[in-house]
Amino acid sequence: MQPTNRQWILQARPAGPQIDRAMFEKRESPLPHHVRDGEFLVRNRWFSCDPSQRAWMDAETYLPPVALGQTMRAFTGGEVVDSRHPGFKRGDLVTGLFGWQDYAVSDGRDALGPVTKLAPGVELQSALSLFGITGMTAYFGLFEIGRPVAGDTVLVSGAAGATGVIAAQLARLSGHRTIGIAGGADKCRWLVQELGLDEAIDYKAGNPMEAVRALCPDGVNVYFDNIGGDMLDAGLANLAPGARVVLSGALSGYGDFDQMPVIRHYPNLILKRARMEGFLVFDYLARTAEAVTRMSPWLAAGQLSNPVDIAEGFDAAPDALIRLFAGKNRGKQLVRLD
Amino acid sequence: MQPTNRQWILQARPAGPQIDRAMFEKRESPLPHHVRDGEFLVRNRWFSCDPSQRAWMDAETYLPPVALGQTMRAFTGGEVVDSRHPGFKRGDLVTGLFGWQDYAVSDGRDALGPVTKLAPGVELQSALSLFGITGMTAYFGLFEIGRPVAGDTVLVSGAAGATGVIAAQLARLSGHRTIGIAGGADKCRWLVQELGLDEAIDYKAGNPMEAVRALCPDGVNVYFDNIGGDMLDAGLANLAPGARVVLSGALSGYGDFDQMPVIRHYPNLILKRARMEGFLVFDYLARTAEAVTRMSPWLAAGQLSNPVDIAEGFDAAPDALIRLFAGKNRGKQLVRLD
């Protein structure tokens, strides 16, 4: 029997910030066309769940929105199962924008650049988290945009999320006093006791702006913000002179600006002579090796943790994405295909 | 008869963003104490009206708020009429934070740094506008924070205001396509026909966000924002890749953050890999000569205009400040003392 290609099809656009399961329809199709010269066939093993997927559902970003009736766009990791491409052979592990489906045909590039072929010994799970766009967002956002220097206090919002948990650990491992903001006492305990952050603020337990002020009476030097809105304001209200506010790509996951949570403390950027800057990780992916080189010893020594939150099975994909926006994940949300 | 010292006393703090005339009380006091060694007496000839004065009325900024019952803080320009200070002699012209009063005693420094003694031939009126903090805010904000390069489109909000009108002209004189935002057809005509801007947007005549989009289909490279809120959002919604948003000190004139007009298009800083940065002009005043050197030839050639809007007489001060926030001034608002 010919294998089929299960796909999650985008069949409706969100009316507001929320994603609903009914926006996706499961379909079984024949396999993609036979590979031609210069192409290869990937069998997906893992789906990555990323905030940017919300934006892709209806917004013009650095990519056009996913067309209705098409496979939902997603970063995935898989195995090359057939190839007529000189750079890829059967058994190679790859990550790329292959979408929420079992199989995809690729010519070695996706809409954002070259497909990544994993170095020997690297697992797909790591390539979709610490050593993929998530970890690179944390690394280059913190060090290239935030540029912490000795003595700095680093604040990270969404600190239990995929990018935040890496950014916060990198700040701490670089010797900076590091404070995470997360939702719930359990997450906060985890951040401090398991991951070694200096402090954690439970934004559900009180006013985060006041909590930041209490912990940072001299202000925050680097704020790595993954959330926007009130969380961003909580940092903006407590900037140290010369502060840098890193707007992480995670923020861009909302789509409709009219629905975007507002901020009002931006004039503090003037009073504190501070800078707020955004970036897209895709501009830095050519420098992945640099980040991997710096992070690997910490990982090998057990000082850097790469938490992943795994949902099981193809059918779990929509709920896993929804879970992300409900803040239920700890670390990177992945889906393992059955 | 002994001369008296007229003073405008701050007697009530604003309840919201608006300034009311009744917040100031006119008082006549004896002259300040006799000058001691190392001091001099200034007779004010001009008051400067600045947005920062609104913040000084109730907010902690880079200075504590003005105490109730004290003379309203203001930059002023005057003449030394008595001196026991080695650096200042009778007849010297000076600018500094001497406040809304006829006379002030100084030791050569004010709360923000050294008092400025004017070079021979410079008029007080220029020293309080183009060659003072207003012009320096425009110059260093544009060139040090905005950093326009060849081919850039520069957008300036509050373009008919004191700082905006200088920033916009400097952008144009540096060869950049320059678009101003101002309120009213008259101001817009003036900006284009008299001051040579490429385009002007009347924010009262339509949706400024759409107007910016229509004029800048490829986006704005440098946005010099003096206003915040909706005007800031109009620029943030239309950024070019790599854009720089300059938050001018004028913005800081609001005081109460809870009253601050919100913004919601900040995630565009991510999608456009853009930077939004604030600054305080006081950090650059030691480099005033550099700006004067660059601006003077343009001024002498009649290419750079230094528009000032003059209110006549000591009694006009509160209304002149209120006028500023109503957007009625063209260029720098000054008060000439009788």
Side-chain angles (χ1 to χ4, degrees), chain A residues 34 46 111 115 134 140 201 220 223 230 235 261 308:
Chain A
H34 282 293
W46 296 86
V115 164
T134 300
F140 290 105
I201 292 169
V220 171
Y223 184 20
D230 286 350
V308 292

Side-chain angles (χ1 to χ4, degrees), chain A residues 60-62 228-229 232 247-249 251-252 257-271 273-280 283, chain B residues 60-62 228-229 232 247-249 251-252 257-271 273-280 283:
Chain A
E60 276 293 335
T61 58
Y62 40 88
L232 179 50
L247 296 185
S248 158
L251 259 177
S252 62
F257 284 117
D258 293 337
Q259 304 274 356
M260 192 69 208
V262 300
I263 59 172
R264 57 179 85 241
H265 282 73
Y266 55 92
N268 250 346
L269 293 168
I270 303 171
L271 296 176
R273 302 119 154 124
R275 163 168 65 84
M276 179 156 89
E277 189 164 348
F279 71 106
L280 291 176
D283 296 339
Chain B
E60 276 294 337
T61 58
Y62 39 89
L232 179 50
L247 296 184
S248 158
L251 259 177
S252 62
F257 283 118
D258 293 336
Q259 303 274 356
M260 193 68 208
V262 299
I263 60 172
R264 58 179 84 239
H265 282 72
Y266 55 92
N268 251 345
L269 294 168
I270 302 171
L271 296 176
R273 300 117 155 129
R275 163 169 66 86
M276 180 157 89
E277 188 164 348
F279 71 106
L280 291 177
D283 295 340

Side-chain angles (χ1 to χ4, degrees), chain B:
Chain B
M1 203 182 101
Q2 180 76 354
T4 58
N5 186 30
R6 294 172 297 174
Q7 300 176 306
W8 279 111
I9 302 297
L10 181 67
Q11 67 154 6
R13 302 201 185 279
Q18 301 301 322
I19 302 175
D20 190 284
R21 203 182 184 299
M23 294 165 190
F24 303 100
E25 183 182 49
K26 188 175 163 184
R27 185 182 296 170
E28 306 215 352
S29 310
L31 277 196
H33 68 80
H34 282 292
V35 298
R36 294 177 287 229
D37 273 352
E39 292 182 340
F40 57 89
L41 182 69
V42 179
R43 174 158 192 177
N44 281 325
R45 301 296 185 190
W46 295 86
F47 294 160
S48 170
C49 293
D50 297 293
S52 46
Q53 289 177 279
R54 166 62 191 81
W56 296 342
M57 289 173 72
D58 60 0
E60 276 294 337
T61 58
Y62 39 89
L63 292 175
V66 178
L68 290 181
Q70 296 296 308
T71 306
M72 179 60 192
R73 184 185 295 147
F75 284 101
T76 73
E79 186 185 339
V80 175
V81 291
D82 189 9
S83 178
R84 294 174 65 184
H85 188 294
F88 297 85
K89 63 176 192 304
R90 276 183 67 128
D92 281 349
L93 298 180
V94 292
T95 61
L97 273 180
F98 301 125
W100 273 357
Q101 55 186 345
D102 283 313
Y103 293 94
V105 169
S106 171
D107 62 2
R109 295 189 65 84
D110 61 34
L112 287 167
V115 165
T116 300
K117 187 162 76 174
L118 274 57
V122 177
E123 294 180 342
L124 283 170
Q125 189 177 330
S126 305
L128 289 173
S129 51
L130 184 64
F131 294 144
I133 55 162
T134 300
M136 297 307 117
T137 300
Y139 183 93
F140 290 105
L142 179 65
F143 293 119
E144 293 285 318
I145 310 293
R147 295 182 209 160
V149 297
D152 276 358
T153 292
V154 178
L155 179 70
V156 179
S157 65
T163 302
V165 78
I166 304 299
Q169 290 181 90
L170 291 175
R172 176 183 61 76
L173 289 165
S174 304
H176 307 291
R177 179 172 179 244
T178 304
I179 300 167
I181 306 178
D186 280 357
K187 278 184 185 172
C188 287
R189 208 174 300 119
W190 176 64
L191 288 172
V192 172
Q193 293 179 2
E194 309 278 320
L195 300 181
L197 268 58
D198 295 286
E199 311 268 3
I201 292 169
D202 177 3
Y203 70 80
K204 293 179 176 172
N207 181 325
M209 197 178 286
E210 288 167 15
V212 174
R213 182 160 300 141
L215 288 176
C216 308
D218 298 325
V220 171
N221 302 97
V222 174
Y223 184 20
F224 192 109
D225 179 43
N226 291 296
I227 306 293
D230 287 349
M231 290 306 126
L232 179 50
D233 250 345
L236 286 173
N238 291 288
L239 298 177
R244 287 80 70 201
V245 179
V246 182
L247 296 184
S248 158
L251 259 177
S252 62
Y254 289 93
D256 183 354
F257 283 118
D258 293 336
Q259 303 274 356
M260 193 68 208
V262 299
I263 60 172
R264 58 179 84 239
H265 282 72
Y266 55 92
N268 251 345
L269 294 168
I270 302 171
L271 296 176
K272 302 301 181 184
R273 300 117 155 129
R275 163 169 66 86
M276 180 157 89
E277 188 164 348
F279 71 106
L280 291 177
V281 68
F282 314 114
D283 295 340
Y284 296 91
L285 292 185
R287 291 169 58 190
T288 297
E290 174 189 331
V292 170
T293 300
R294 187 148 166 208
M295 296 194 293
S296 293
W298 284 324
L299 189 69
Q303 297 174 292
L304 174 61
S305 173
N306 179 31
V308 292
D309 206 327
I310 297 172
E312 295 291 348
F314 181 93
D315 290 349
D319 286 337
L321 185 60
I322 291 167
R323 198 165 178 269
L324 191 71
F325 287 96
K328 290 189 180 155
N329 59 306
R330 280 197 192 178
K332 178 72 185 194
Q333 180 70 58
L334 296 175
V335 177
R336 175 161 39 201
L337 272 67
D338 38 305

